[in-house]
Structure formats: C-alpha cells, structure tokens
Amino acid sequence: MLTLDQLKVGERGQIISIDSQEQFLYRKLLNLGFFPGCEVQVLQVLPAFLVQVGFTQMALDRQTCHRIAVMMV
Amino acid sequence: MGLWISREINPIQWNGKGEGGTLVKIALVGSPNVGKSVIFHHLTGQYVTVSNYPGTTVEVTWGVFNGGGEKAEVVDTPGIYSLLPISGEEKVTRSLLFNVKPDLILHIVDAKNLQRMLPLTLQLLEAGFNVVLVLNMMDEVRQRRLMIDCEGLAGRLGIPVLPAVSIRGEGMEELKHLLLTNLLEVAPLPAALSWRLRYPELIERRLSRIEHLLKGSYSITKRALALFLLEGDEEVWEWLGEAEEPQTLTRVQHVVVQEMEGIDYQMVITQVILARQKRVDQLLKSFFDARRSQTPRFQEWLSRLCICPLTGIPVLFLVLYFGVYRFVGRLGAGVVVDFLDGVVFQQWLNPLFTDWVQKLLPTVALQGLFVGEYGILTLGLRYAVAIILPVVGMFFFAFSILEDSGYFPRLAFLIDRVFKVFGLNGRAVIPMVLGLGCDTMATLTTRILETRKERILATFLLALAVPCSAQLGVITALLAEEKGGILLWLGVVLGVLVLAGYLARVVIPGERVGFYIEVPALRWPKPGNILEKTRARMVWYFLEILPVFIYSSVLIWVGQLTGLFAHMLRWMRPLMALLGLPEEAAVTFLFGFFRRDYGAAGLFDLHQQGIVNGDGLIVACITLTLFVPCIAQFAVMLKEHGWKVGLLISGLIFPCAFLVGYLVHMVLEIF
C-alpha cells in the first residue's frame, strides 16, 4: 500500500483512505480537505511534508503522512 | 489569529434576547482565518461584548448591527469546518446555533477554496438555516486568475452570494444593504431547494425512518439531527432526551445502533462527505473556473524562500537578528529606554515627584512609599513606563508584523523537528515565540495546543527557559559589553530548554499528536491591523503590569518598614554567594518574584552602579532568565492547569535555576 510519505517532490497522488486508528486525527484531516478522492501534490519533503491541496498548502509531518493511503496519478 | 481585546460597553444578554426581546439574530459562521472578525467589526462597529459560552472557556463575541433605525444582534462564532464537531470550540458553535437559532447565518468563506468550503454551506442549509454566502478574499481569486460567477451560483444554490474583500471594505456596503432589506421585511429569505442532495440509499433509508420517529420540535431539521446520529454524534442524544418520549428514544437507538450493525460511524462519515463533495462539484460546475489559474510569482518565490530549509533558516536568523536583537534589544532596550529612563525619569520626573511628595506628605516613612528607593513613583512607575513598556511594545509590534504576514505557519514547518525533541511540535511556535514577548500572554495561548501533555509541557518550558521581551531587551543590552556573554547566555538557556523538554516529555504521560497546519498565502501586513494588534496587546500588558508594580512597591515598603525585607535579603545571601554574586544582587531576585522584568530592570540598575560586572553579570543573567515565573504568569498557570501542576512547575524551577547558575559560576571560575 502506497502512503503519502512515500511520494517524492513533484509527485501527485489521489487519496484512497486515511488510517482511522485515531478518530480525532481522521476527522481533523477530513475537515482540512484531505478526504478520499481529492488530489494532493508534494511540494517539499524536508524538514516536513508540504503538500498542495486545491489552492491551499498544508504542512504535515512524516508520521501523519504515513496514515494517508494514496494512488499515484 | 490574534488576541483581540473587547471594548465592553453595552452587554447583551446571553439568551439572545437583548433589550427588545425580539431582535433579529444574525450569526457569522465559517472556518478559521477567513476574515470573519473583520466583517463582524464592519457590521457592529465599536461596541462589542466578549463573553464565555456558559460552562466553557470558549469566548464568543456579540454586537449590534444598526441599520435604518432597525437593530439586529450579531454573534461571531468560533471557527468550524463542519457541523459535526471535533474540538471544544466547534461544539460551542453548534450548541450556540442550536440554542440561539439565528434568523440568518452569514457563511463567510475563503473564495478561492470555495470547493472545500461549500460543503459546510450545504450542511447549514440542510439544517434549515437561512444562509447568505459571503465569498471573502476575492482579491486572491483575482490574483490567481480564477473566475467565479456569483450571480450564477446564487441562482443555482437559491441563496444570495456576495463577493467581498473585507480587509479593504469591499462588499461591505452591499452586505449591509442586504441585511437592511431583510430586517425591514421581517420575512425570511426565500428558501430554494435546488441545492438538495441525497446520500447513499442505506443512509437515506435510516434517515427517513428516524425523521418519522421524532415527534419533538427542534431548532434544526430532523434530517440534520438524524444525520448526526448516524455519524456517531453523542451530544445530539441529549437534545433528543429533552424533547422525546423514552419509547421513541429506544426506537431511534435501534435504528442507529442495531440496524447499522457492521457499518461503523467512520464509514458513514466518509460516505456523507463524499456525497456532499460530489454535489458541491456538480453545483459549482460552470460557476467556478480554474482553467486559467496561476500562482502569483513574487508571493510564491517569497514563500519558498521562507519555507525551504536552505534559505528558510537564514531567513529566520535574519528575522531574529533584526527583529529581536536589533529592533527590540538595541533600539528598544537601548535607545528608547535610555531616553525614557535616563532623561525623562531620572532627570525630570523623579526629582519633580520627590519634590511634590515631600511637600504633601508628612512623614518620611510615608514619603518613602512614593518616592523612596523602591517608591511607587520613582521605581514602580519608572520601571513600568520607562523600562518595560517600550521594550514590550516594540516586541509586540514586530510580532504583529510577522503574524499578519502569514510567516508563522512557515516557521512552524521549519522548526517542527526541533520542537519534537523537547516534546512539542511546530504548532507550539505561536506560544513559544509569543513567550519571547510576554510569558503570561503566551501561557494563555497554549490553549491552541491540542493535547493536555503539550499544553503542560509548553507551559513548563515557558516558565523555565523563555525570557520575556523586557528581560530579553535588558539582558541583551547588559551582556553586549561582555565578550561572548550573549553567546554563553544563549547557549546555556537553549541547552536547559532542550534538556528540560526532553526529560519532561518522557515524564509527562500522554501521546504525541501529529503535526498538521494550513500554510496560508503570504501577504503584505496591513498597517491598520498591525497598529491595532500592537495597541491591543500593549493595553492589556499595561493594565497587567502597572498594578503589579504598584503592589510590589507597597509590599516592599511594608517589608522594609517591618524589617522583613532585610530578613529576606539576608536569607538569600548564601544563595548569592553560591553564584559568586554580591549580596546586593539578592534584590533583583526578590524583585524577580514579583515580575521577571522587574528583576531584569533591577539588574540593569545594579550594573549602572557598577555593583555587578563581568562573570557575575553573566551568571546573574542566566539564573534570572531561568528563575521562577512572575506573579501574573503564575496566576495564569494556576487558572489553566490547577494548583498541583502550577506549584510543581514552580517548585522544580527554583532549585533548577540556582543549580545551573552555580554550575556556570564554577565553570567560569575555572577559566
């Protein structure tokens, strides 16, 4: 299973699912726009992940990205 | 984000009744950082009330909209992303909407992210509210060459859609006009149903079953209530409990819990979100055109500069050097303080005060209260106005510029890894940086951190190792003359910060929360915003410090008169000896009990008099920085975390500060 933290700079992914171990995190990410079906592009991977979602940029750390399963686009 | 201070003039009753009892109620709803507050102020002007939602620490702002002789109550709600609440603040917003039942909701959105924001509009419509959609930040839409057809969208949704750029005042007149026509008509806005959506069959069937079972009357639609139930919301059961018979509750429970066997709430939530998003995409088609979009070049370049570690870290150092060291330290603590203290107070005001007081008051003892060595006027007022206020003011000014420009999320991004070493994450950047301005205010800001563990850790580190701007300013000015003084001080304090954080992280129970933060577009800070934020913070600070300086003067006066002061100084002598300092230095630590900045200012005086120099100065600065939190900060700590935590933290810090001071003293002796 490919997760967001495995993508490299410039690559795009479509979100398949979010590891729902922590309900809190899951819903928080959903609210911020990370829901199944939407497309994200990786802008930076150091020191943390910077991704583009729609017209906004989001910063996430590696452990959070690991929870997001994606499909390469 | 910012800390606004309310100007409380006409308090409005909580039950939303107000003076007339039948005022129209308008609620502003939207996610954080979309410009709700600005629009709120456009509608309500000067007179607002900030109060806590009953039973919570969440603040809600109320005001009155005056138009054409008619009045309406306006409430600004805490930011929400969805009507299914996650945080305490979101729960408050929903409760508020449910209990107050506004006649009109202004849904404020970030226009360029309309696709992500429209689902909440649909939720609000589904819940039965009258909604006006305000597309704010249209300037960014234009900058990016996005096209939004507001009228077409309004026709599609069946609700008014207004474009706006609230910080420039664009669209505000149209909004007021719309509200006016509505107030005068009394009738609600026509509710079209063209936005309706259907969820997957499984969910729809359960929804209609529950809708039929519910017999009570509610301020939101039964469909919305049923949806909350199917999504696993627990709070809604309380509302049902008050309005339904027990048998009904059991039947509803059956539909929700038993019949949904094997299907967990997570899945329902996801399906609902997907269905809503699909509907939004359908509704937006041909009214939102992003085909020609481009990112503004300069903004993107500058953002990259700040956020890419290779360039971002140098940028950070530049910001720290110019912003903190030169602006606050040299200009503030140096030039401005020298003038205000050296000239205005020492040369003009102090002699004047002394003269008056000696003429007006009979006894020397009483005179001492006002113009003695620790007098209210000669010391208390002088410290507050001439030494502390300019430094803190300049810090808040620089902080507001950074905050308004959108720099902080980028800083959070850069330092997240570093912060993780001592148990926090990038989100703590705001309290920790604010702590460099005023630790008391920063301790209040720790509320934005999500877990209790993070909040306590941040509070602990703020109390231990983050010097406030007044201290910073004075200390950097003092140590500037010592070779390597500042570097040593910086090194030791940072070292203690990291070590203490690392240990605390291991000891305090709790899980780590992942780091995620939205990084908004950089923008030119607006002078109006900066001045307002700085002014508000300075006023708050001044109202906080002046009383404390006065009490401190009185307490010291009493202490001196009764000989208690001398006792305490004597008691501290061995501690001073431990650090290799003369006994006069004990005074600064005693002062440090009342206000850390008071202590730093005292050290400043001692240095001027030549009593503390060289190595001793460095040791004193280090120990004072690590010393216990000032009274105001201590009070806030107790309020936020309780007596146990507050006393534990302070109790740990006291010996820690002196231990480190001792070690540094020993090391310096060797060299």
Side-chain angles (χ1 to χ4, degrees):
Chain A
M1 188 176 65
L2 188 65
T3 49
L4 186 54
D5 61 319
Q6 291 170 297
L7 291 182
K8 299 193 184 43
V9 177
E11 293 184 335
R12 279 179 215 267
Q14 191 182 45
I15 298 186
I16 305 174
S17 69
I18 299 177
D19 178 354
S20 50
Q21 288 299 340
E22 289 171 33
Q23 230 231 14
F24 185 81
L25 178 70
Y26 180 73
R27 282 162 60 176
K28 198 78 188 190
L29 288 176
L30 279 183
N31 280 340
L32 288 174
F34 286 90
F35 47 81
C38 78
E39 198 179 283
V40 303
Q41 185 183 27
V42 176
L43 300 175
Q44 231 175 287
V45 298
L46 282 175
F49 274 72
L50 184 69
V51 303
Q52 183 92 22
V53 188
F55 293 103
T56 321
Q57 296 182 353
M58 297 276 181
L60 305 157
D61 59 10
R62 188 167 279 270
Q63 80 189 64
T64 310
C65 286
H66 192 62
R67 296 248 163 76
I68 304 174
V70 297
M71 190 171 67
M72 281 276 265
V73 170
Chain B
M1 198 190 110
L3 296 170
W4 295 89
I5 295 187
S6 72
R7 290 149 279 186
E8 292 185 39
I9 311 247
N10 298 311
I12 292 177
Q13 293 311 308
W14 237 110
N15 55 15
K17 291 264 186 257
E19 308 146 51
T22 50
L23 286 183
V24 170
K25 287 164 251 172
I26 302 174
L28 267 65
V29 171
S31 53
N33 301 319
V34 295
K36 269 190 290 114
S37 323
V38 179
I39 295 182
F40 180 79
H41 281 98
H42 270 290
L43 293 179
T44 58
Q46 293 265 337
Y47 308 110
V48 298
T49 307
V50 177
S51 55
N52 285 351
Y53 191 78
T56 71
T57 52
V58 179
E59 292 185 334
V60 180
T61 316
W62 292 84
V64 174
F65 170 63
N66 269 304
E70 297 292 325
K71 282 198 208 162
E73 277 185 87
V74 187
V75 62
D76 186 8
T77 64
I80 57 170
Y81 290 98
S82 157
L83 278 185
L84 194 63
I86 294 182
S87 67
E89 297 203 323
E90 289 180 327
K91 285 197 180 125
V92 165
T93 301
R94 190 174 71 167
S95 289
L96 205 157
L97 294 178
F98 187 76
N99 290 317
V100 169
K101 180 63 171 155
D103 301 284
L104 187 63
I105 289 188
L106 298 181
H107 185 201
I108 322 280
V109 301
D110 175 5
K112 67 181 183 293
N113 284 313
L114 189 53
Q115 200 190 22
R116 277 201 289 134
M117 308 219 145
L118 212 50
L120 178 55
T121 322
L122 291 188
Q123 278 189 61
L124 292 168
L125 289 169
E126 211 172 44
F129 293 110
N130 294 314
V131 181
V132 168
L133 185 60
V134 178
L135 303 181
N136 204 13
M137 296 152 87
M138 283 296 287
D139 54 339
E140 296 194 22
V141 165
R142 294 192 282 259
Q143 249 184 344
R144 285 170 168 71
R145 307 249 186 285
L146 301 168
M147 312 290 214
I148 303 184
D149 178 1
C150 299
E151 281 189 27
L153 187 60
R156 219 14 165 14
L157 289 176
I159 61 175
V161 175
L162 294 178
V165 183
S166 59
I167 40 181
R168 289 200 204 140
E170 280 177 38
M172 295 298 100
E173 284 310 309
E174 289 82 342
L175 179 61
K176 287 189 201 168
H177 181 77
L178 178 72
L179 292 180
L180 257 177
T181 32
N182 253 272
L183 288 182
L184 296 175
E185 272 174 23
V186 176
L189 293 163
L193 305 177
S194 44
W195 49 266
R196 282 264 150 106
L197 76 149
R198 283 186 72 80
Y199 299 105
E201 265 320 296
L202 198 64
I203 297 178
E204 282 292 339
R205 265 184 281 149
R206 300 311 187 266
L207 284 179
S208 52
R209 289 270 289 283
I210 298 175
E211 274 179 85
H212 278 107
L213 285 173
L214 295 177
K215 299 282 177 262
S217 73
Y218 301 92
S219 47
I220 61 177
T221 60
K222 292 183 182 157
R223 184 176 165 81
L225 280 174
L227 200 56
F228 288 142
L229 290 171
L230 290 178
E231 288 173 309
D233 192 328
E234 301 196 338
E235 200 185 356
V236 179
W237 287 109
E238 289 173 28
W239 301 346
L240 291 190
E242 287 169 24
E244 302 290 340
E245 311 268 302
Q247 309 103 291
T248 320
L249 283 181
T250 331
R251 285 201 210 116
V252 171
Q253 231 172 11
H254 185 82
V255 176
V256 174
V257 180
Q258 275 113 310
E259 288 191 24
M260 298 292 276
E261 199 74 60
I263 304 167
D264 68 281
Y265 296 130
Q266 221 65 287
M267 211 158 88
V268 175
I269 293 175
T270 314
Q271 301 236 334
V272 166
I273 291 187
L274 285 178
R276 254 191 223 125
Q277 191 58 53
K278 206 159 139 207
R279 187 78 182 106
V280 163
D281 292 341
Q282 275 173 354
L283 290 168
L284 276 184
K285 222 181 199 157
S286 74
F287 300 123
F288 188 94
D289 188 352
R291 279 171 305 181
R292 292 223 206 88
S293 73
Q294 18 166 291
T295 31
R297 302 284 275 320
F298 179 64
Q299 227 182 40
E300 190 55 38
W301 176 81
L302 196 61
S303 182
R304 270 297 154 99
L305 204 71
C306 294
I307 208 168
C308 170
L310 243 71
T311 50
I313 294 180
V315 166
L316 175 59
F317 277 114
L318 279 175
V319 167
L320 283 178
Y321 181 72
F322 282 105
V324 180
Y325 183 65
R326 288 203 80 102
F327 188 64
V328 180
R330 305 295 233 137
L331 189 61
V335 176
V336 180
V337 169
D338 276 348
F339 176 68
L340 282 178
D341 181 39
V343 179
V344 175
F345 267 84
Q346 307 262 32
Q347 286 180 22
W348 301 341
L349 290 180
N350 275 3
L352 202 66
F353 289 147
T354 315
D355 208 36
W356 288 348
V357 169
Q358 282 176 339
K359 286 193 187 131
L360 290 171
L361 294 178
T363 58
V364 175
L366 205 58
Q367 287 170 6
L369 176 63
F370 287 90
V371 295
E373 203 185 338
Y374 305 110
I376 292 178
L377 295 174
T378 49
L379 196 73
L381 192 68
R382 178 167 72 94
Y383 276 7
V385 172
I387 299 181
I388 308 306
L389 192 65
V391 177
V392 165
M394 300 195 91
F395 179 86
F396 286 155
F397 185 73
F399 187 86
S400 304
I401 292 180
L402 285 180
E403 189 185 35
D404 214 43
S405 69
Y407 180 65
F408 283 127
R410 289 164 175 82
L411 181 60
F413 177 78
L414 283 177
I415 55 164
D416 176 55
R417 280 249 181 112
V418 172
F419 271 32
K420 284 210 163 79
V421 172
F422 41 87
L424 297 172
N425 67 35
R427 294 178 84 95
V429 76
I430 294 267
M432 298 302 270
V433 174
L434 197 55
L436 290 173
C438 173
D439 283 295
T440 310
M441 195 179 265
T443 310
L444 278 173
T445 324
T446 56
R447 281 184 202 167
I448 65 169
L449 299 174
E450 285 176 350
T451 60
R452 186 165 151 78
K453 174 173 177 170
E454 279 176 285
R455 285 194 289 267
I456 294 182
L457 233 158
T459 307
F460 171 59
L461 292 176
L462 280 171
L464 175 66
V466 180
C468 58
S469 64
Q471 254 190 332
L472 253 185
V474 174
I475 287 179
T476 47
L478 275 175
L479 290 178
E481 300 153 26
E482 301 298 325
K483 244 171 35 166
I486 292 195
L487 284 177
L488 183 62
W489 170 81
L490 196 64
V492 173
V493 172
L494 278 178
V496 171
L497 178 73
V498 173
L499 189 63
Y502 184 76
L503 291 174
R505 180 187 88 187
V506 172
V507 167
I508 302 178
E511 281 296 315
R512 262 206 295 206
V513 178
F515 169 63
Y516 40 83
I517 196 173
E518 185 176 324
V519 180
L522 280 178
R523 62 161 196 240
W524 282 116
K526 295 256 172 305
N529 279 0
I530 297 172
L531 289 176
E532 175 55 37
K533 286 182 188 182
T534 308
R535 188 204 67 93
R537 288 181 171 130
M538 273 177 84
V539 166
W540 177 91
Y541 188 81
F542 202 70
L543 293 179
E544 286 288 304
I545 51 168
L546 203 55
V548 181
F549 276 82
I550 294 179
Y551 301 150
S552 311
S553 283
V554 175
L555 280 170
I556 293 175
W557 178 71
V558 169
Q560 270 186 305
L561 231 55
T562 57
L564 189 66
F565 197 54
H567 266 309
M568 295 196 76
L569 281 180
R570 239 175 316 196
W571 174 79
M572 292 198 80
R573 240 195 286 159
L575 283 171
M576 294 299 109
L578 203 66
L579 301 178
L581 294 172
E583 63 177 39
E584 287 91 340
V587 174
T588 61
F589 287 98
L590 203 56
F591 281 6
F593 259 124
F594 295 104
R595 294 291 298 187
R596 283 164 109 177
D597 31 24
Y598 215 176
L603 194 59
F604 191 77
D605 272 354
L606 283 180
H607 179 67
Q608 296 285 59
Q609 295 165 27
I611 295 178
V612 181
N613 276 311
D615 282 356
L617 194 62
I618 300 178
V619 173
C621 283
I622 291 177
T623 312
L624 198 61
T625 305
L626 298 174
F627 201 50
V628 294
C630 65
I631 278 191
Q633 190 182 357
F634 187 64
V636 170
M637 264 206 300
L638 292 182
K639 207 168 70 133
E640 296 284 308
H641 302 293
W643 281 89
K644 252 191 357 191
V645 171
L647 285 175
L648 189 68
I649 289 181
S650 307
L652 271 174
I653 292 178
F654 188 91
C656 183
F658 280 101
L659 182 67
V660 174
Y662 175 65
L663 287 172
V664 175
H665 171 63
M666 287 287 107
V667 168
L668 285 177
E669 287 270 284
I670 296 174
F671 295 103

